[in-house]
Every structure is written in C-alpha cells, then in structure tokens.
Amino acid sequence: MSDNGLFLTLEGIDGAGKSSHLDALEALFQAQGRTVVRTREPGGTALAETLRGLILEQPMDPLTESLLVFAARRDHVVQVIEPALARGDVVLCDRFTDATFAYQGAGRGFDDAVLSTLEQWVQAGRAGRAGRPASQLLQPDVTLWFDLAPEIAAQRLAGARVPDKFEAQPVEFFRRVAQGYADRASADARRFVRIDASQARDQVWQQVEAALVARGVFAGAAR
Ligand code: TYD
C-alpha cells in the first residue's frame, strides 16, 4: 500500500475542451515514472459504462438521473479508483462528483442536500484508501476546472458531433452549470484550479502544466 496515489479530475461545461488535454497529461505523468489510470465518469467500469449510455441518452427525472450517476460512481470507486490510489497510481479522471453538483444540482435544479447524502454513501471509505478513515470521503486531490463562457462553448460544439442529452440543452442550462462549477470552486479553492479555457489550446496547456507544478504534484503525493 502506498499513500502516493494522486486523484486528478477534469471538469467544465461541455465544449470547454478539457478532454483534449488528457493525452498530454497522461504522457506528463508517465514521463515522471508514474503509472496512470485514465478513466471517466459516468463510466470507467463495464457496469458504469452501461449506465452512462442510459444517462446520456434516456430522458429521466433528476432523482433517477442522480441515482444512476451515483450508482455508476460507486462501482467505479470500488472497482477502479480506490485500488489504483492504494497502489500509488495517478488516477486521471474526466469528470467526477463536481459534475453532479454542477449538472444535476445547478443545471437541473435538483436538491443539493440529496446529492450530498448520496456523495457520502458512495464516497465513504469501504475499500479504504491508505491512511483515510472511513468517515473521510474520497475526494480528488486536484481538480482542473476548464472555465469557458457557455456561449463560446456552444459555438465550439456546434456541428462537431451529434449532441447527447446534455449537449442538446439550451445555453441557459449551461449558464447554470457554469455557475455551479464557479460556486464549487470558490467553496474549495484549495482543491480547484481554474483554467482559462478561452485561450488558444497551447496556452491552456501551459496553464495546466504550471498549475500542476505550482501544486507540487510532481514531487509525489499532493495530499
Ligand atoms: P463528457 O464528459 O463531456 O464526455 P464526452 O466528451 O464523451 O461528451 O460527457 C459526459 C456528460 O455527462 C456531460 O454532458 C456531463 C454529464 N454528467 C452529468 O450530468 N453528471 C455527472 O455526474 C457526470 C459525471 C457527467
């Protein structure tokens, strides 16, 4: 067991461009000799990927959506994330619970208190991260928040691909989601790094690299 695992998440509204930096992030950590587990939410296990298909395509009420998102997360945490962190790996995860508070909470207007309860059930220690008491929730060490105006994100997405259920939402939905992320970031400034995603891709990448260096993540554990 090692306590050097690093849990890094990427967040932002659809079209913010976060996923385009995953390859470079993975390579950066590998160059430091780290083993990287690259994964995503909803998803990351066979069961969670099945749930992802339902969540992204089927209409459903916000509680159903939240339960499915957290069911997928539970499987992912137990099967993939906790074991990888216990081995000392870097877990590079495209979205995690901040997305639930931003999309289901702020975007759909669903009850944050219910989401917090689900978060506690799902992220409480079971498999047990080294040194983490059962009462301490699993949370990312660092969250890169790709912040972009919803109008610009919509332009970037337009015509890029067939939109899924969320991508097809109007810009007002994404204004609420963006505000949800901003609120999460200001409530946990130690964990969140705001990346100005309106810049050119190279400059965005420079911000990502600089933020990780500033956080000292390459020296080993961030916690
Ligand atoms: P996304 O991460 O953007 O993947 P892709 O690049 O393949 O489109 O898509 C996941 C979608 O799921 C995104 O629109 C946000 C949504 N989502 C939620 O609504 N709640 C959640 O908890 C998570 C993790 C994602």
Side-chain angles (χ1 to χ4, degrees), residues 138-149:
L138 173 71
Q139 296 290 3
D141 296 300
V142 180
T143 297
L144 300 175
W145 167 42
F146 293 76
D147 187 22
L148 185 65

Side-chain angles (χ1 to χ4, degrees), residues 12-17 145-157 171-179 194-199:
I13 60 172
D14 289 274
W145 167 42
F146 293 76
D147 187 22
L148 185 65
E151 294 76 9
I152 301 175
Q155 281 167 21
R156 287 188 184 174
L157 276 183
V171 73
E172 296 75 49
F173 175 83
F174 287 104
R175 282 201 197 102
R176 295 195 296 275
V177 175
Q179 187 59 49
R194 179 184 174 274
I195 305 291
D196 176 0
S198 70
Q199 297 185 352

Side-chain angles (χ1 to χ4, degrees), residues 51-70:
L51 294 174
R52 177 188 176 95
L54 300 172
I55 294 161
L56 295 194
E57 301 305 335
Q58 304 286 328
M60 58 186 77
D61 91 299
L63 174 57
T64 308
E65 198 170 273
S66 301
L67 290 169
L68 289 182
V69 162
F70 273 110

Side-chain angles (χ1 to χ4, degrees), residues 29-100:
F29 282 107
Q30 285 171 341
Q32 309 285 324
R34 304 292 301 261
T35 301
V36 178
V37 173
R38 185 165 148 178
T39 187
R40 69 173 180 181
E41 290 216 345
T45 68
L47 173 60
E49 290 290 334
T50 301
L51 294 174
R52 177 188 176 95
L54 300 172
I55 294 161
L56 295 194
E57 301 305 335
Q58 304 286 328
M60 58 186 77
D61 91 299
L63 174 57
T64 308
E65 198 170 273
S66 301
L67 290 169
L68 289 182
V69 162
F70 273 110
R73 180 161 302 133
R74 178 65 181 177
D75 197 49
H76 190 210
V77 165
V78 171
Q79 305 290 342
V80 175
I81 299 177
E82 290 273 22
L85 294 174
R87 290 193 302 268
D89 295 352
V90 175
V91 175
L92 198 55
C93 192
D94 195 343
R95 300 191 187 280
F96 194 62
T97 304
D98 295 306
T100 314

